[in-house]
Amino acid sequence: MVVTGLAAILLAIAVLLVIVSAVQPLAARLHLPETVLLALVGILIGGAADLLLRTSLTNVFDGAARTVLNFPVNSQAFLLIFLPILVFQGALAIDVRRLSHEIGTVLLLAVLAVVVSTATIGLALFPFAGMPLAVCLLLGAIVATTDPSAVVGIFRSIGAATRLTRLVEGEALLNDAAAISIFSILLGAITAHHPVHAGAACYEFACAFIGGMGVGALLGRLTLLMISALGGTPAGEVTLTIALPYIAYILCDDALGLSGVVATAAAGLTFSLYGPSTLRPSTWRFLGELWEQLVFWAGSLVFVLASMLIPRLLVGLTRWDCVLIAIALAAGLFARFAVVFGMLPLLAATRLSPPVPLPFKVTMVWGGLRGAITLALALAVTENPDVPVPIAHFIGILATGFVLTTLLVNGTTLRWMVVYFGLHRLSAIDEALRHQILGIGLREVRDRARRLAGDFGFSGDATRPVLEALDRRVEEEREANTFDVALGDRQRVTLALITIANQERSILLDLFRIRGLSRGVMETLLRGADAMVDGARLEGRFGYVRAIRRQLRPSWRFKLAQWVHRTLGFDQPLMYAMMERFERLLIQHLVSLALTRFMRRRIEPTLGMRVADIVSEVLERRQKLLQDAIETMRLHYLGYSEALESRMLRQVAIRLEGEEYDILLGESLISEELHRELGRDAEQRRKRLDRRLKFNLKSGIEARIKSVPALRGVPDAVVHDVAMMLSIRFVAPGEVLYRRGARVGMVYFISAGVLESHVAEHDIRYVEGDVIGAEELLAGRRLPATVRGLRFGHLLAIRAREFERLVDEHPVIRRNIERLARLRAGEPEAPTLLLAPPERRIIKVIAMPPAA
């Protein structure tokens, strides 16, 4: 009985998947790229099917041969089904923050290199091919797409430098987008029989590229918002990621006329950037594993199915076609060489991108393999009824020959080139660290093995050889250890800070896993940890400390909420912003304590006492800043701070409770039914803790008003009205409150914190109880100096016109300010108030003690 129809197609796909599963271990054994072996398998299948259908020896396999040769997968299916998956997963797997430092190099290779390759190959073929220039350029655009799968597979299998792998992945991500955009423009011109105008083509390319990037990023953010709204449903969250690349690709490519590939890549990059702080760590890990599996199926099938068409595309190959293929190969290699060796040094010289070493450049030139996308684009030309047959024949043969040559020549020799240049070896720092870590780790393994041998009662004859072998390895690592001389103190400190920042990221993810963090706080803190890694990597200790200070400053949302509170009188935005800042500072405080313990336990034995002391000093400075920021807010909102800490501890306790139930189930001490019941009870209690805590923004403000020396004597009946006029402002270290020469728009009463200004070579400090701007406002003058925060501060602010009206109604305020000025004159060590009379002398004002 012969299988036909849909059943035959499904059976063929199943058989191909079986073949694909066998190709992977075979490629590893033969030391060949998987894509090369998949291409060979596809060619053999396609050639064998054609041979079986033509032979008269047997008719048994004719049905299977027809199914293979007439497989219902055309160029549109390749681009619509497989391309979004490949592009999205490629973007999802990229470390966006690390790639951002190489953005100049990536854009050069992804865009400029495609344009140069298209032009070079087209112009090189034009005198010899007997085809119009537009057709030769079309072929150049088709073969300009590089395939990263084979190259990255080789790099990872032999442990090539991560930067080289990152550059190749980043290039390939946007390379296809640029090539497909040029391909669409040229194919449209050929089928419409009109010339290509360079200006119009560049404008169309730029619009498609930039527009696709914007739409893709927007769709990625919208998907993340939808995931946040799902409330932690893993099945729904993962399902949205499956839909995202197809929505981005088809919407831009078919509806908006933009680049679908760029949109898919932008959506994937957006998801890679913000996904870890939006999805739970377990869901993010599952998502990564799922997409790796999907891209394995898609990448393998697209290579086999495209390669099955190669025998058909090569029908009619002549010697002259081989010469044209050689010309195209030489032109493509020359174009890539010119871009890599000609333009990358310019980027390095202008500091737009880090320098790329010579071995990297040579490997990147030779590693420009072409693959399934090139074959799919060539197939799109041969299937297009508006393309004349000679042009379709020319494109099909040359593009297929180009792909085969790069796979069989470049792909099989790339591994040798990487090994020849030593790109598979560890860096000097990693090599030195390797012996240091192994020595410490093996000693720990030896001690644990000795304890386990005693616990299990192993005999001395069985235990002794194992422990002696471990002792020998420990001694070998100790003798080979060059860590003390290979790295200077500066390098060790940088390495320690990078390790500390990465550990902070791990701790944050653990807190997120136990649901002790909200998504918004998680996203902000993860961005801060990544900024610390980048700062330490680029500028060492200075960059790390600068990233810490930047993270502790109020966010733009907090500043906007303060402006809304101060200008429009709406308290709710500032209340929510303060709640988020409270949570963020508290988490940072807890993480900082954990990092101190980690540093003593891990960093000190590995990098030495001196480095540990330097890093401890940095962490202590951070801890002091955090405590200052927390105490400033806790001073006025103590109840909320305690409630937040209590809720966080309860969330941790519930997570620990769930882990204990899992252990009991694993030890068969409770049944699955009881385990589910206990889990449901714990989950209900956890959900009750998800409700956000609230507090009164102006809690206790009347008591603080009564303690302000400048407002002493104001009737109690007026205090409530004054409280309604006041707004709240938080000041961070270094933040400017007033600039020199500014008009007084707000008068500030310092509730907590320290601010400073500099007048006539004197530093003037403002502390709790002082008033800023009152003297200048009442005297009708501008501020004579810039006022900025020295520590985190909590200020009560009142509009200038309301303060003037208050002083007019209650002259005691003016007398208080004048009295403060007289009492402070001649006491520079005490807290001061900035005063600038017409003769520009500084009158120092003492803060009166609060009334008993």
Side-chain angles (χ1 to χ4, degrees):
M1 182 177 179
V2 179
V3 180
T4 59
L6 179 60
I9 297 171
L10 293 176
L11 180 61
I13 293 176
V15 172
L16 290 178
L17 288 175
V18 172
I19 295 173
V20 163
S21 65
V23 164
Q24 192 176 34
L26 182 60
R29 180 171 297 182
L30 297 177
H31 299 292
L32 285 174
E34 291 179 28
T35 49
V36 173
L37 202 56
L38 287 170
L40 293 176
V41 168
I43 293 171
L44 289 175
I45 293 175
D50 185 66
L51 181 63
L52 287 173
L53 202 59
R54 294 175 183 274
T55 184
S56 58
L57 297 177
T58 179
N59 297 325
V60 176
F61 301 104
D62 285 358
R66 288 193 184 91
T67 301
V68 170
L69 293 177
N70 300 317
F71 206 82
V73 177
N74 54 18
S75 60
Q76 188 177 20
F78 280 124
L79 297 179
L80 283 178
I81 297 175
F82 298 114
L83 189 57
I85 294 179
L86 298 175
V87 172
F88 187 81
Q89 194 277 335
L92 199 63
I94 285 180
D95 187 338
V96 180
R97 292 180 176 86
R98 297 287 299 275
L99 185 66
S100 63
H101 301 306
E102 309 279 2
I103 191 64
T105 305
V106 169
L107 287 177
L108 180 76
L109 294 173
V111 180
L112 184 60
V114 169
V115 175
V116 172
S117 296
T118 299
T120 304
I121 294 172
L123 293 174
L125 286 173
F126 179 60
F128 308 101
M131 290 286 173
L133 179 60
V135 174
C136 296
L137 292 174
L138 178 64
L139 177 67
I142 290 174
V143 299
T145 59
T146 58
D147 176 56
S149 55
V151 182
V152 173
I154 295 173
F155 289 169
R156 288 177 176 167
S157 65
I158 60 177
T162 54
R163 187 188 176 197
L164 181 59
T165 304
R166 188 165 60 248
L167 287 174
V168 171
E169 288 179 327
E171 172 202 358
L173 187 64
L174 298 178
N175 179 284
D176 290 343
I180 291 174
S181 297
I182 298 173
F183 166 83
S184 302
I185 294 171
L186 292 172
L187 183 61
I190 291 172
T191 54
H193 304 288
H194 63 70
V196 179
H197 298 287
C202 291
Y203 176 76
E204 184 179 347
F205 174 78
C207 290
F209 206 90
I210 298 173
M213 190 168 294
V215 172
L218 177 62
L219 290 174
R221 290 296 287 175
L222 288 175
T223 303
L224 290 166
L225 289 175
M226 292 178 65
I227 286 176
S228 299
L230 289 178
T233 308
E237 293 172 350
V238 173
T239 302
L240 286 176
T241 68
I242 301 295
L244 175 59
Y246 289 103
I247 293 174
Y249 185 89
I250 296 173
L251 179 65
C252 286
D253 210 50
D254 291 349
L256 300 178
L258 303 174
S259 174
V261 181
V262 172
T264 306
L269 291 173
T270 303
F271 216 90
S272 175
L273 183 62
Y274 298 109
S277 59
T278 303
L279 280 73
R280 301 290 174 188
S282 57
T283 306
W284 182 253
R285 285 193 297 270
F286 173 72
L287 182 68
E289 295 169 357
L290 173 66
W291 273 99
E292 285 182 5
Q293 186 62 59
L294 287 175
V295 84
F296 172 73
W297 290 335
S300 302
L301 285 176
V302 75
F303 248 100
V304 173
L305 293 173
S307 301
M308 285 164 51
L309 303 173
I310 287 179
R312 185 195 313 173
L313 291 173
L314 288 179
V315 172
L317 178 68
T318 63
R319 292 182 179 179
W320 184 243
D321 290 329
C322 294
V323 173
L324 294 178
I325 291 172
I327 293 173
L329 287 165
L333 194 63
F334 172 78
R336 193 166 178 81
F337 180 89
V339 170
V340 171
F341 282 88
M343 297 300 297
L344 290 185
L346 293 179
L347 288 179
T350 55
R351 299 184 181 275
L352 293 176
S353 182
V356 178
L358 177 63
F360 279 29
K361 295 177 185 176
V362 176
T363 306
M364 289 163 67
V365 170
W366 192 249
L369 277 65
R370 273 63 170 181
I373 302 303
T374 301
L375 292 175
L377 295 178
L379 189 63
V381 175
T382 61
E383 292 176 349
N384 194 318
D386 296 327
V387 176
V389 174
I391 294 177
H393 179 78
F394 169 79
I395 295 292
I397 286 182
L398 265 66
T400 305
F402 199 105
V403 171
L404 282 177
T405 306
T406 59
L407 285 175
L408 298 178
V409 177
N410 300 55
T412 55
T413 57
L414 186 61
R415 176 187 294 269
W416 171 84
M417 181 174 290
V418 172
V419 173
Y420 175 78
F421 283 116
L423 299 179
H424 63 299
R425 301 193 190 102
L426 294 173
S427 65
I429 293 179
D430 287 337
E431 189 65 36
L433 191 61
R434 173 184 182 274
H435 296 296
Q436 180 85 342
I437 293 296
L438 272 179
I440 296 172
L442 286 174
R443 285 197 294 270
E444 180 68 21
V445 170
R446 178 193 58 196
D447 295 341
R448 291 182 63 186
R450 182 181 290 112
R451 289 195 298 270
L452 285 174
D455 293 342
F456 288 110
F458 291 158
S459 66
D461 293 337
T463 304
R464 192 178 305 107
V466 177
L467 297 180
E468 288 176 353
L470 288 172
D471 285 333
R472 285 194 300 271
R473 290 187 63 191
V474 169
E475 185 63 23
E476 290 171 0
E477 294 299 334
R478 188 189 65 78
E479 293 176 356
N481 190 356
T482 59
F483 185 77
D484 292 336
V485 296
L487 299 181
D489 284 347
R490 186 173 181 178
Q491 290 175 307
R492 294 192 203 185
V493 170
T494 298
L495 182 61
L497 292 175
I498 292 173
T499 305
I500 287 287
N502 283 320
Q503 176 66 14
E504 179 168 346
R505 182 183 177 88
S506 299
I507 294 173
L508 290 172
L509 289 172
D510 286 340
L511 286 172
F512 193 45
R513 179 175 61 85
I514 65 175
R515 303 188 180 184
L517 282 179
S518 63
R519 295 180 188 271
V521 171
M522 177 67 177
E523 185 173 309
T524 303
L525 292 178
L526 276 183
R527 283 203 304 267
D530 290 332
M532 292 177 201
V533 173
D534 294 338
R537 183 176 287 112
L538 295 175
E539 300 177 271
R541 180 168 44 171
F542 175 75
Y544 182 84
V545 172
R546 188 164 62 179
I548 287 175
R549 292 186 178 276
R550 191 183 305 119
Q551 189 185 34
L552 290 177
R553 293 177 191 149
S555 64
W556 66 268
R557 287 182 294 182
F558 190 93
K559 293 179 179 179
L560 178 62
Q562 284 192 137
W563 180 87
V564 171
H565 165 69
R566 183 173 63 251
T567 307
L568 304 178
F570 295 154
D571 294 344
Q572 193 168 17
L574 182 58
M575 182 187 69
Y576 284 117
M578 287 179 63
M579 289 162 54
E580 182 178 302
R581 180 166 173 79
F582 248 125
E583 185 176 354
R584 184 155 52 89
L585 290 173
L586 183 59
I587 292 296
Q588 287 178 276
H589 174 71
L590 298 176
V591 170
S592 180
L593 294 176
L595 291 177
T596 301
R597 294 191 294 270
F598 171 79
M599 188 273 303
R600 290 299 179 191
R601 190 178 72 254
R602 289 295 189 184
I603 300 297
E604 184 175 316
T606 305
L607 300 180
M609 179 70 73
R610 177 174 171 79
V611 172
D613 290 340
I614 295 173
V615 175
S616 294
E617 181 184 350
V618 174
L619 293 178
E620 286 172 4
R621 289 172 60 188
R622 180 190 185 187
Q623 189 68 16
K624 186 177 182 302
L625 287 171
L626 280 167
Q627 288 176 344
D628 191 16
I630 292 173
E631 288 303 321
T632 300
M633 301 186 74
R634 182 181 285 168
L635 181 66
H636 305 286
Y637 306 101
L638 179 61
Y640 178 77
S641 175
E642 292 176 345
L644 185 62
E645 292 176 359
S646 176
R647 186 186 70 167
M648 192 173 301
L649 184 58
R650 289 182 183 181
Q651 289 172 321
V652 172
I654 290 175
R655 177 62 187 181
L656 294 176
E657 183 180 345
E659 292 178 352
E660 181 64 23
Y661 296 154
D662 293 340
I663 293 173
L664 293 175
L665 177 65
E667 295 175 347
S668 300
L669 294 175
I670 60 175
S671 64
E672 291 187 4
E673 292 79 5
L674 179 56
H675 178 267
R676 284 195 296 269
E677 178 62 28
L678 294 173
R680 280 194 296 267
D681 178 65
E683 180 65 16
Q684 289 175 357
R685 283 183 280 115
R686 188 203 61 77
K687 286 183 177 180
R688 286 197 293 269
L689 293 175
D690 283 344
R691 290 193 295 269
R692 302 186 69 173
L693 300 174
K694 295 183 180 182
F695 61 89
N696 183 2
L697 189 63
K698 295 186 177 181
S699 172
I701 198 169
E702 294 186 14
R704 275 174 267 159
I705 292 172
K706 292 179 180 179
S707 68
V708 174
L711 298 179
R712 183 183 303 162
V714 174
D716 291 342
V718 181
V719 170
H720 177 74
D721 296 334
V722 175
M724 299 304 295
M725 299 178 192
L726 292 174
S727 59
I728 297 170
R729 175 160 181 179
F730 289 90
V731 179
E735 184 179 350
V736 173
L737 185 68
Y738 269 125
R739 296 195 179 276
R740 180 180 179 180
R743 291 185 181 276
V744 177
M746 304 287 290
V747 174
Y748 294 97
F749 303 98
I750 302 178
S751 184
V754 180
L755 294 94
E756 182 185 57
S757 66
H758 185 78
V759 178
E761 299 182 357
H762 293 283
D763 290 332
I764 304 174
R765 291 196 173 185
Y766 308 90
V767 296
E768 182 179 351
D770 285 343
V771 186
I772 300 176
E775 299 293 334
E776 290 73 23
L777 177 64
L778 297 178
R781 291 186 297 273
R782 295 174 181 263
L783 270 296
T786 297
V787 182
R788 58 169 49 88
L790 282 183
R791 296 172 56 185
F792 289 97
H794 182 278
L795 311 180
L796 301 177
I798 184 171
R799 291 186 179 90
R801 61 179 181 273
E802 292 177 343
F803 182 75
E804 288 177 319
R805 186 173 69 250
L806 187 65
V807 172
D808 291 339
E809 294 175 356
H810 305 281
V812 67
I813 298 176
R814 184 187 296 272
R815 293 196 297 270
N816 285 340
I817 293 175
E818 293 172 352
R819 186 182 179 192
L820 293 173
R822 290 193 301 270
L823 291 175
R824 277 303 295 275
E827 298 181 14
E829 74 280 355
T832 58
L833 174 67
L834 179 63
L835 185 63
E839 59 271 22
R840 301 193 63 79
R841 57 188 174 88
I842 299 178
I843 297 178
K844 297 167 185 174
V845 181
I846 188 168
M848 293 178 60

